[in-house]
């Protein structure tokens, strides 16, 4: 059945050009594409290259849309250790005739929950396994510029509901509300609710950003992040310096599936960022003071520049009150065909240096060699060679990676989107 | 700590030496609302971000679509992507170079983390 369905999709996709135009209803749009990802991985054994694994992943998507309906079906065939076919993604949406901003749809492996916070998200991608999601939803929009959707989905026996409402830009502010809730099938299991209200304003002299998150049912499951933007003590045609005060508070019992908040945090931040309007240069420094435990207190800084001489600089430094520190310094000099660079990464007591050179014989081909090693007695050298080519929608990579005390690994990867 | 101090001193010495390698390159006259990356030798550059499901990498299947967020290259080696149509919100993004290398935006001082990588942040108000 799987093979016949795949054949049907390919025939339907491949038959696009042969379709009698007269059978296509007016106002309908048909489209298809095929995303192919082929890879092979091998090693060097007994003076011979040996292929250890191969895999071909082909996904064919067929779309049909009209003012009233929107269909998308993606079927995939994966060939690694065992060839198999699966529905990867499907969507069928019906829009209310005459009012296309009101719609209802059925989804398979689509509509993954994600809720942004300030910097890091409150709900991160991958909270639930995307391959397990199936369900249906309603969406609407257009009423005074508001738009929203409600989804009820099933994921591995648990029920996931999502509600998202987005306001239009109201001249000085925009508001988003998101709610994600999981009801576990096991009555003894824990249910989880995340409510997130995000407000972004833009006034003459400052821009407030506010994210309020909370869960229901128990105390201590709340969090607040706020930052004031657009405070620019220096603002010229050359560039500006922006000072950003912020506060990040969270209850002791939060368990949001993202990295925006840490349980019990009482964090005050103050950042200063330099951005140039006319030149490729920036710098920033941010101090963090954790009033509760000091574990998040620290300072981080970053700077970057591209010089007239063709040198890219990138510096990142972080230091925390518990004496953890990390520094990364990278410098790459480039011209139209070749580049050479060095990067130093320091994480507490370990320092790793990476040198790289690349050559580009033509615009769409690049070959790069990199060598790295630790600056201690172990050295742990490694090196890699990668040749990449991008020809329109097709990209190919040939790579060899070697690490100390192990066999070289060969990689070949070809990815393309055919329409 | 000694290594950090040494490297900092070397960097400060280079920075204060007035070397021409530290005169910043000028941006295009009207950069507009675009992401820019100067990388003349790259064969391809994409912008992977929260707004495009990280090129499809977090969607079902997990394959980075080679066309998603693809930047255009001009004769000077400057890669650009127009982001004027983004709805308001906070987005993380990174440049995906040659189909295998992730780099943050070197001229965006604000950073975040995605899957253990340092990436950049853009905040769109309207």
């Amino acid at each position: 059945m799987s093979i016949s369905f795949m054949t049907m999709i390919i025939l339907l996709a491949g038959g696009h050009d042969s379709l009698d135009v007269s059978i296509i209803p007016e106002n309908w749009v048909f489209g298809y594409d095929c995303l192919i990802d082929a890879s092979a991985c091998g090693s060097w054994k007994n003076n011979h290259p040996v292929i250890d694994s191969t895999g071909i992943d082909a996904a064919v998507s067929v779309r049909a849309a009209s003012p009233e309906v929107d269909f998308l079906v993606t079927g995939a065939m994966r060939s690694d250790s065992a060839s198999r076919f699966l529905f990867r993604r499907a969507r069928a949406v019906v829009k209310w005739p005459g009012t296309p901003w009101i719609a209802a749809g059925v989804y398979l492996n689509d509509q993954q929950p994600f809720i942004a916070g300030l910097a890091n998200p409150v709900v991160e991608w991958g909270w639930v396994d995307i391959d397990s999601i199936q369900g249906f939803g309603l969406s609407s929009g257009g009423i005074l510029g508001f738009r929203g959707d409600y989804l009820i989905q099933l994921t591995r026996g648990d029920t996931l509901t999502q509600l998202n409402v987005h306001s239009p830009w109201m001249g000085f502010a925009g508001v988003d509300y998101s709610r994600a809730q999981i009801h576990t099938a096991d009555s003894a299991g824990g249910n989880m609710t995340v409510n997130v209200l995000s407000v972004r304003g833009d006034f003459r002299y400052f821009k407030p950003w506010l994210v309020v998150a909370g869960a229901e049912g128990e105390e201590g499951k709340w969090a607040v992040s706020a930052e004031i933007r657009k405070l620019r003590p220096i603002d010229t045609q050359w560039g500006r310096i922006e000072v950003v005060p912020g506060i990040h508070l969270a209850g002791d019992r939060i368990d949001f599936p993202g990295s925006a908040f840490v349980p019990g945090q009482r964090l005050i931040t103050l950042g200063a960022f330099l951005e140039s309007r006319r030149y490729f240069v920036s710098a920033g420094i941010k101090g963090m003071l954790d009033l509760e435990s000091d574990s998040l207190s620290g300072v981080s800084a970053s700077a970057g520049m591209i010089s007239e001489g063709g040198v890219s600089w990138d510096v990142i430094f972080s230091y925390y009150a518990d004496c953890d520190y990390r520094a990364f310094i990278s410098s790459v000099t480039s011209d139209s065909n070749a580049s050479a660079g060095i990067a130093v990464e320091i994480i507490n007591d370990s320092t790793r240096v990476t040198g790289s050179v690349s050559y580009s014989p033509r615009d769409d081909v690049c070959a790069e060699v990199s060598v790295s090693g630790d600056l201690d007695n172990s050295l742990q050298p490694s090196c890699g060679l990668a040749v990449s080519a991008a020809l329109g929608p097709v990209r190919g990579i040939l790579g060899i990676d070697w690490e100390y005390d192990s066999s070289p690994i060969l990689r070949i990867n070809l990815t393309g989107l055919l329409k | 700590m000694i290594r950090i101090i040494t490297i900092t001193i070397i960097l400060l010495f280079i920075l204060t030496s007035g070397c021409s390698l530290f005169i910043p390159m000028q941006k295009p006259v009207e950069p507009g609302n675009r992401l820019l990356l100067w990388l003349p030798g790259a064969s391809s550059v994409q912008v992977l971000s929260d707004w495009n499901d990280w090129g499809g990498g977090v969607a079902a299947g997990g394959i980075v679509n080679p066309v998603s967020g693809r930047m255009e290259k001009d004769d000077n080696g400057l890669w650009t992507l127009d982001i004027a149509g983004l709805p308001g919100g906070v987005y993380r993004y990174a440049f995906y170079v040659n189909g295998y290398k992730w780099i943050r935006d070197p001229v965006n001082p604000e950073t975040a983390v995605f899957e253990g990588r340092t990436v950049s942040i853009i905040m769109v108000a309207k």
Side-chain angles (χ1 to χ4, degrees):
Chain A
M1 182 177 174
S2 297
I3 294 171
S4 61
F5 183 79
M6 187 68 184
T7 308
M8 184 187 74
I9 287 180
I10 292 171
L11 287 175
L12 183 58
H16 182 269
D17 292 335
S18 61
L19 283 175
D20 184 351
V21 175
S22 62
I23 69 168
I24 300 177
E26 196 176 350
N27 297 331
W28 279 70
V29 177
F30 289 89
Y32 60 86
D33 60 55
C34 181
L35 181 62
I36 298 174
D37 183 75
S39 60
C41 189
S43 55
W44 196 271
K45 293 172 183 168
N46 300 324
N47 296 324
H48 294 289
V50 177
I51 297 296
D52 296 322
S53 65
T54 60
I56 297 177
D57 193 331
V60 179
S61 296
V62 180
R63 293 185 183 84
S66 76
E68 285 81 30
V69 297
D70 185 2
F71 292 109
L72 166 71
V73 176
T74 300
M77 189 158 72
R78 184 168 181 79
S79 170
D80 40 25
S81 55
S83 297
R84 58 186 189 274
F85 172 81
L86 65 155
F87 266 123
R88 173 158 294 163
R89 191 178 174 197
R91 181 175 68 222
V93 179
V94 180
K95 302 167 196 169
W96 197 269
T99 52
W101 53 84
I102 299 174
V106 180
Y107 307 93
L108 176 70
N109 300 347
D110 201 6
Q111 306 288 335
Q112 185 173 190
F114 171 80
I115 304 174
L118 286 179
N120 293 309
V122 182
V123 173
E124 179 63 285
W125 299 107
W127 174 35
V128 292
D129 179 12
I130 180 65
D131 289 329
S132 71
I133 294 177
Q134 50 187 302
F136 61 90
L138 304 168
S139 63
S140 66
I143 303 168
L144 297 175
F146 281 80
R147 59 193 165 86
D149 53 72
Y150 176 78
L151 300 122
I152 182 163
Q153 298 157 307
L154 196 66
T155 167
R156 300 209 187 284
D158 300 333
T159 302
L160 168 69
T161 57
Q162 298 182 64
L163 173 65
N164 299 291
V165 180
H166 307 279
S167 82
W169 181 250
M170 296 177 286
F172 62 93
V175 180
D176 300 322
Y177 170 74
S178 297
R179 174 188 174 91
Q181 189 172 32
I182 274 200
H183 284 290
T184 55
D186 180 3
S187 58
N191 298 330
M192 179 183 285
T193 305
V194 184
N195 293 292
V196 180
L197 179 70
S198 177
V199 181
R200 53 190 193 281
D202 190 354
F203 301 99
R204 183 170 182 180
Y205 297 109
F206 67 99
K207 282 184 184 176
W209 288 75
L210 176 69
V211 173
V212 181
E216 295 169 354
E218 293 182 65
E219 290 185 358
K221 291 196 170 184
W222 57 272
V224 177
S225 277
E227 287 185 354
I228 305 293
R229 298 257 155 186
K230 207 178 175 181
L231 300 177
R232 294 167 183 162
I234 298 174
D235 194 348
T236 68
Q237 288 187 337
W238 189 91
R240 62 188 177 226
I241 291 178
E242 182 172 357
V243 177
V244 182
I247 187 166
H248 308 269
L249 310 174
D252 297 332
R253 297 172 60 84
I254 62 163
D255 52 358
F256 301 145
S259 53
F261 300 105
V262 175
Q265 70 181 23
R266 304 284 187 272
L267 195 63
I268 296 173
T269 61
L270 182 63
F273 304 103
L274 163 70
E275 289 184 76
S276 176
R277 290 190 175 89
R278 295 174 58 184
Y279 296 95
F280 283 104
V281 62
S282 76
I285 184 166
K286 188 173 186 178
M288 296 154 285
L289 179 62
D290 189 345
L291 303 175
E292 192 69 20
S293 67
D294 260 357
S295 62
L296 298 173
S297 295
V299 62
S300 64
S302 67
M305 185 180 71
I306 298 168
S307 76
E308 276 190 337
V311 179
S312 299
W313 298 92
D314 190 6
V315 179
I316 297 177
F317 175 77
S318 304
Y319 182 83
Y320 294 94
D322 56 6
C323 295
D324 279 350
Y325 59 90
R326 176 179 183 267
F328 175 79
I329 302 167
S330 164
S331 175
V332 180
T333 179
S334 309
D335 72 2
S336 57
N337 294 107
S339 71
I342 186 165
V344 179
E345 184 169 27
I346 301 168
I347 301 176
N348 297 327
D349 293 331
S350 73
T351 304
R352 191 159 186 89
V353 179
T354 303
S356 63
V357 293
S358 71
Y359 177 69
S360 180
R362 46 179 289 171
D363 270 357
D364 43 20
V365 177
C366 182
E368 181 175 19
V369 176
S370 62
V371 179
S372 65
D374 287 341
L375 287 188
D376 57 29
N377 293 335
S378 65
L379 195 58
Q380 298 291 327
S382 67
C383 62
L385 163 69
V387 179
S388 65
L391 303 172
V394 179
R395 183 174 57 218
I397 301 167
L398 172 65
I400 302 173
D401 296 311
W402 173 81
E403 290 184 4
Y404 176 70
D405 217 15
S406 61
S407 300
I409 296 173
L410 316 173
R411 293 179 290 115
I412 300 173
N413 180 262
L414 190 68
T415 308
L417 183 75
L418 311 176
K419 289 189 175 183
Chain B
M1 185 57 79
I2 293 172
R3 283 170 302 177
I4 292 178
I5 294 169
T6 307
I7 290 170
T8 306
I9 291 171
I10 292 170
L11 273 177
L12 286 173
F13 173 78
I14 295 171
L15 285 167
T16 55
S17 66
C19 177
S20 64
L21 293 177
F22 296 96
I23 298 171
M25 180 187 289
Q26 197 156 0
K27 285 181 179 176
V29 178
E30 291 183 11
N33 204 355
R34 294 183 296 171
L35 294 177
L36 306 172
L37 179 69
W38 185 77
L39 205 59
S43 63
S44 69
V45 181
Q46 294 173 254
V47 177
L48 306 186
S49 171
D50 288 323
W51 72 67
N52 63 6
D53 294 352
W54 295 90
V58 296
I63 302 170
V64 174
N65 184 334
V67 176
S68 180
R70 188 163 63 178
M71 303 181 83
E72 297 296 325
K73 184 183 179 185
D74 70 8
D75 295 337
N76 299 316
L78 190 66
W79 297 82
T80 61
L81 180 73
D82 191 345
I83 55 167
L86 276 185
V90 181
Y91 304 96
R92 298 170 296 174
Y93 70 96
F95 297 119
Y96 191 54
V97 178
N98 294 340
Y100 64 91
K101 189 161 64 176
W102 294 68
I103 61 174
R104 76 170 187 110
D105 188 344
V107 290
N108 182 345
E110 297 196 62
T111 60
V113 175
F114 172 69
E115 292 185 346
R117 301 180 181 93
T118 300
V119 298
S120 301
I121 304 173
I122 189 166
M123 303 175 88
V124 180
K126 301 175 186 176

